[in-house]
Amino acid sequence: MTPLISLKSIRKTFTSGEVPVHALKDVSLDIEAGDFVAIIGQSGSGKSTLMTILGCLDRPTSGQYLLDGEDVSDFSPDELAERRRRMFGFVFQSYNLVPTASAEENVEIPAIYAGLPAEARRERAGALLERLGLGDRLDHLPNQLSGGQQQRVSIARALMNGGQIILADEPTGALDSRSGRDVLATLRQMHAEGHTVIIITHAPELAESADRVIEIRDGQIVADRRLRPLPRANPKGPEAIGAEAASAVVADVFEAVRMSMRALRANLFRTVLTLLGIVIGVSSVVAMLAIGNGAQQSVLSRIAAMGSDLLIVRPNMANFRGGDGGSIVSLVPSDADAILELPNVAFAVPEMSSTLTVRAGNRDTQTTVNGTVPQFPAAKSWEVGAGSFLNTEDMTSYAPVAVIGQTVADTLFPDGGTALGQYILIKNIPFQVIGVMAKKGATAGGQDQDDTVLVPLSTGNLRLFGARNVRSITVQVKDDSAINVTQDQIQALLDDRHKRQDTQITNMAAIRETFTETSNVLKIFLGSIAAISLVVGGIGVMNIMLVSVTERTREIGIRMATGARARDILTQFIVEALVVSALGGLIGIALGLSIGGVAQLFGVPVSFAPGPVILAFGSAFLTGLVFGYLPARNASRLQPAVALASV
Ligand code: ADP
Ligand code: MG
């Protein structure tokens, strides 16, 4: 019959230090299933090294290890993890419980990696703790338990997956003698139930309770005594639990999220600081883009309201500085008629204007009186609210009629009475109000466009303005795409008519284009600032994860000892980084939207769109993945024996 464990010429040499340490020199050893073996020896004799090799936590430097007939000496890390999970249960001198997990959760850990469903896991962990007299301590954290109780939790954990072979390294070393006896009695009982028990101790009196005592000195076996015969029934021991259940990926991730939430809660202050980096990054992306988009759209819509297919011809002010009292005489109404003759011109609307006092009854107001033509509403995209606009007949007959803006209507006729049909006095000349313009609002420059009175250009020219000065000619083109050509033609025409260049033309389409380009550059700039803060946040995540891995090296070792594969550890730490950044992302989005909302309350134009929100959250998530990967990989590459030995 093949022994359960068979070591042949096992050597283990540590070469990490300056001089190689030969911890095990040519150890050969057979252990039968169902035996109770004590390995004794002085401190430093190689006992723990032997245990890490027996327990598949480390590989021998040379020699052969047959476990249940299989040569595991050159197994891959994952294959070794599978053997640990299925066959071994570890009990350590320092208990090695995960400090942030309750007694029950600690006992459950091996079954997580064996893929046992959560319900079955909890039930079995509870039952094991109950059996070991800890039924009323399930929710206690390790630091709320006595040493003896912690050691019993770790025995329960060793039994969780079946624990065919229980490896106990100085299990009573840190306990008082009574608790030590309790633990030993528990191990004896496990042996009676068919578990193979191997305990390591430096105390000879403890070894007396074993069936077989192996003494090791300087890495070599020096004595091997049998005190009691091997139990005759020699059962194979309990079945492995859950080993066949393929662990579902979803359950893994769910479990990893749960574990990471716990780890993050355990270090709440640090977690909050880490979150802060991500939150600031994400909220600034969301808020900056919302405000940037809002500003752009608001300006674009004002430009659109003015009409983007317009050319506005004005006298070139620079030519008249210090001229005849600042009066502008370069543009005349007939210029508009000449422009209208050009091929691509839909209409050309001249405006003359003057600031005058307008009176109605006993009220008066200072306002801009504009002389213009019937095409004015079309050229300005500005509708008449009530009544009608000036028509061609008004022009030719020099009619004393006026269309007034909302502000003027409100000022002169405040009592809700309609202005239509009433007379207003401009320069003591009565004009009849035939229309009221719809509300237009302020210009981008904050000027109230509704504070105006519109009269026929001909009437204004003759009776109000005196000088024949035209303030501007608004030209609408037929074909937008040829607007630049038309602009050049108008400039050439006017230069020819005036025999000098004394006008300038504003091209609304060009302004709109320039503005859009400028604001896009600005948005990219804002976006990059936000992206930089996200990267800074990501570095924060990486920093914290690296600290976390270093701090929790032993926990990683415990998880590996209970059967976690490298990729389980990788998943756990990546998920932890992702949980932080996703949480930070969500809080950041909420904060960014609130900042936008508050800005809106204060009158800042804000435009919320799903794009930036998705972009910011996606970047946060990606940041977590990228910056969490390196620490997670470091964690997963730890050697189980090394990780367990860390303090
Ligand atoms: P014991 O458990 O019997 O006290 P160990 O097996 O822990 O002894 O150690 C045996 C020898 O191997 C000691 O000299 C120890 O210093 C050395 N040793 C153990 N682990 C390592 C390691 N990871 N690197 C270098 N030397 C080690
Ligand atoms: Mg030791």
Side-chain angles (χ1 to χ4, degrees):
M1 199 195 116
T2 54
L4 183 56
I5 285 171
S6 176
L7 301 184
K8 294 195 168 70
S9 305
I10 291 290
R11 286 171 190 279
K12 181 68 186 177
T13 306
F14 293 106
T15 49
S16 51
E18 282 173 21
V19 263
V21 178
H22 303 284
L24 293 177
K25 308 163 189 166
D26 198 18
V27 170
S28 296
L29 173 68
D30 285 352
I31 294 175
E32 311 292 333
D35 210 347
F36 189 151
V37 181
I39 296 173
I40 61 166
Q42 305 268 301
S43 177
S45 55
K47 307 182 296 293
S48 295
T49 306
L50 181 57
M51 189 184 98
T52 58
I53 288 179
L54 286 175
C56 296
L57 292 165
D58 205 351
R59 280 184 293 201
T61 310
S62 68
Q64 199 185 34
Y65 176 9
L66 298 178
L67 175 61
D68 207 9
E70 269 182 312
D71 187 356
V72 300
S73 325
D74 51 2
F75 265 24
S76 73
D78 278 0
E79 288 172 311
L80 292 176
E82 196 274 333
R83 292 305 180 285
R84 290 197 295 273
R85 188 162 71 230
R86 187 158 55 84
M87 302 183 73
F88 290 99
F90 294 91
V91 179
F92 300 95
Q93 175 174 359
S94 50
Y95 329 126
N96 277 345
L97 300 177
V98 174
T100 52
S102 71
E104 187 181 26
E105 287 165 337
N106 262 291
V107 176
E108 281 185 37
I109 290 173
I112 293 174
Y113 300 117
L116 201 63
E119 194 51 43
R121 218 159 59 206
R122 211 166 9 257
E123 220 163 85
R124 181 168 165 81
L128 282 171
L129 284 169
E130 186 81 43
R131 223 180 96 195
L132 292 174
L134 292 168
D136 53 347
R137 296 283 191 278
L138 300 186
D139 296 328
H140 285 52
L141 291 175
N143 63 12
Q144 296 166 327
L145 297 170
S146 74
Q149 289 170 329
Q150 290 189 57
Q151 196 58 298
R152 274 182 282 156
V153 172
S154 86
I155 293 175
R157 181 180 63 193
L159 296 172
M160 187 65 191
N161 279 356
Q164 185 184 357
I165 305 169
I166 294 177
L167 284 172
D169 189 353
E170 312 261 12
T172 62
L175 298 176
D176 60 81
S177 52
R178 229 202 93 166
S179 308
R181 276 198 301 277
D182 280 356
V183 164
L184 202 65
T186 309
L187 289 174
R188 286 216 63 87
Q189 195 192 337
M190 296 307 133
H191 171 240
E193 286 171 20
H195 296 267
T196 305
V197 179
I198 303 173
I199 70 169
I200 284 171
T201 177
H202 64 277
E205 65 277 8
L206 210 68
E208 296 307 312
S209 55
D211 295 352
R212 178 183 172 192
V213 180
I214 297 168
E215 194 180 343
I216 180 170
R217 191 180 301 156
D218 274 343
Q220 280 173 311
I221 294 176
V222 292
D224 190 345
R225 294 176 290 141
R226 178 159 289 287
L227 307 183
R228 285 180 263 295
L230 197 64
R232 256 192 307 150
N234 196 9
K236 251 223 149 181
E239 275 303 297
I241 306 293
E244 300 308 318
S247 57
V249 177
V250 177
D252 276 2
V253 170
F254 179 74
E255 207 46 57
V257 169
R258 238 170 52 103
M259 287 192 279
S260 60
M261 291 297 253
R262 198 163 52 219
L264 294 173
R265 252 205 322 273
N267 262 311
L268 204 55
F269 186 60
R270 206 163 72 188
T271 306
V272 167
L273 285 181
T274 315
L275 276 178
L276 204 59
I278 297 284
V279 167
I280 290 173
V282 169
S283 60
S284 54
V285 170
V286 171
M288 279 187 183
L289 289 184
I291 293 173
N293 273 334
Q296 188 183 31
Q297 279 174 20
S298 126
V299 176
L300 281 180
S301 69
R302 283 175 196 210
I303 292 177
M306 280 187 258
S308 64
D309 50 357
L310 297 182
L311 296 166
I312 297 168
V313 185
R314 288 197 182 85
N316 189 346
M317 307 297 261
N319 288 355
F320 297 93
R321 197 151 297 150
D324 48 353
S327 83
I328 297 157
V329 291
S330 66
L331 274 179
V332 291
S334 60
D335 284 339
D337 301 332
I339 291 170
L340 200 52
E341 301 294 306
L342 289 173
N344 190 31
V345 173
F347 44 73
V349 180
E351 284 173 71
M352 295 175 123
S353 72
S354 190
T355 303
L356 296 169
T357 301
V358 178
R359 194 179 296 279
N362 56 359
R363 296 174 200 279
D364 60 51
T365 179
Q366 282 261 325
T367 187
T368 310
V369 178
N370 262 306
T372 188
V373 295
Q375 291 86 353
F376 179 89
K380 298 278 182 180
S381 317
W382 189 1
E383 282 166 23
V384 179
S388 58
F389 199 74
L390 315 166
N391 58 30
T392 329
E393 209 188 303
D394 297 330
M395 298 291 292
T396 50
S397 66
Y398 297 82
V401 291
V403 176
I404 61 178
Q406 274 294 341
T407 305
V408 173
D410 292 344
T411 312
L412 296 183
F413 307 97
D415 307 327
T418 173
L420 290 181
Q422 307 283 327
Y423 284 89
I424 54 175
L425 293 176
I426 311 173
K427 278 193 165 177
N428 285 326
I429 302 160
F431 281 75
Q432 189 175 25
V433 178
I434 58 166
V436 178
M437 298 304 284
K439 194 166 174 58
K440 177 91 162 164
T443 61
Q447 192 192 340
D448 181 7
Q449 300 178 89
D450 297 311
D451 188 6
T452 189
V453 172
L454 305 165
V455 298
L457 182 69
S458 52
T459 321
N461 195 10
L462 182 71
R463 310 185 65 174
L464 296 179
F465 305 127
R468 298 189 309 138
N469 55 328
V470 168
R471 188 178 62 142
S472 67
I473 300 173
T474 302
V475 179
Q476 176 152 39
V477 296
K478 289 175 187 157
D479 175 10
D480 285 11
S481 59
I483 191 164
N484 291 336
V485 177
T486 308
Q487 178 181 359
D488 294 343
Q489 288 171 343
I490 293 172
Q491 187 72 65
L493 175 77
L494 292 176
D495 292 352
D496 185 48
R497 283 171 63 87
H498 300 176
K499 303 292 175 232
R500 57 177 177 166
Q501 182 162 4
D502 58 1
T503 54
Q504 64 181 20
I505 301 175
T506 308
N507 184 333
M508 297 306 289
I511 288 183
R512 181 196 164 90
E513 204 166 293
T514 310
F515 173 78
T516 309
E517 273 168 22
T518 317
S519 65
N520 281 343
V521 170
L522 195 70
K523 270 203 288 186
I524 291 172
F525 181 68
L526 288 180
S528 354
I529 292 178
I532 289 170
S533 47
L534 255 182
V535 170
V536 173
I539 293 172
V541 171
M542 173 143 83
N543 196 7
I544 257 21
M545 294 310 296
L546 284 171
V547 171
S548 180
V549 167
T550 312
E551 237 182 40
R552 286 155 64 197
T553 303
R554 187 185 282 239
E555 177 191 324
I556 294 164
I558 298 165
R559 293 185 182 278
M560 286 177 158
T562 60
R565 291 153 300 185
R567 96 173 98 100
D568 295 319
I569 302 293
L570 186 76
T571 312
Q572 190 192 333
F573 279 87
I574 286 186
V575 164
E576 223 169 284
L578 287 183
V579 165
V580 174
S581 32
L583 208 63
L586 289 179
I587 298 174
I589 286 170
L591 182 67
L593 292 179
S594 319
I595 291 173
V598 169
Q600 203 167 30
L601 283 185
F602 281 96
V604 178
V606 173
S607 155
F608 296 110
V613 172
I614 293 167
L615 176 85
F617 187 79
S619 320
F621 205 73
L622 206 67
T623 304
L625 197 65
V626 169
F627 288 97
Y629 179 74
L630 185 76
R633 201 196 54 175
N634 285 355
S636 71
R637 284 190 177 174
L638 285 167
Q639 294 296 321
V642 175
L644 270 173
S646 87
V647 273

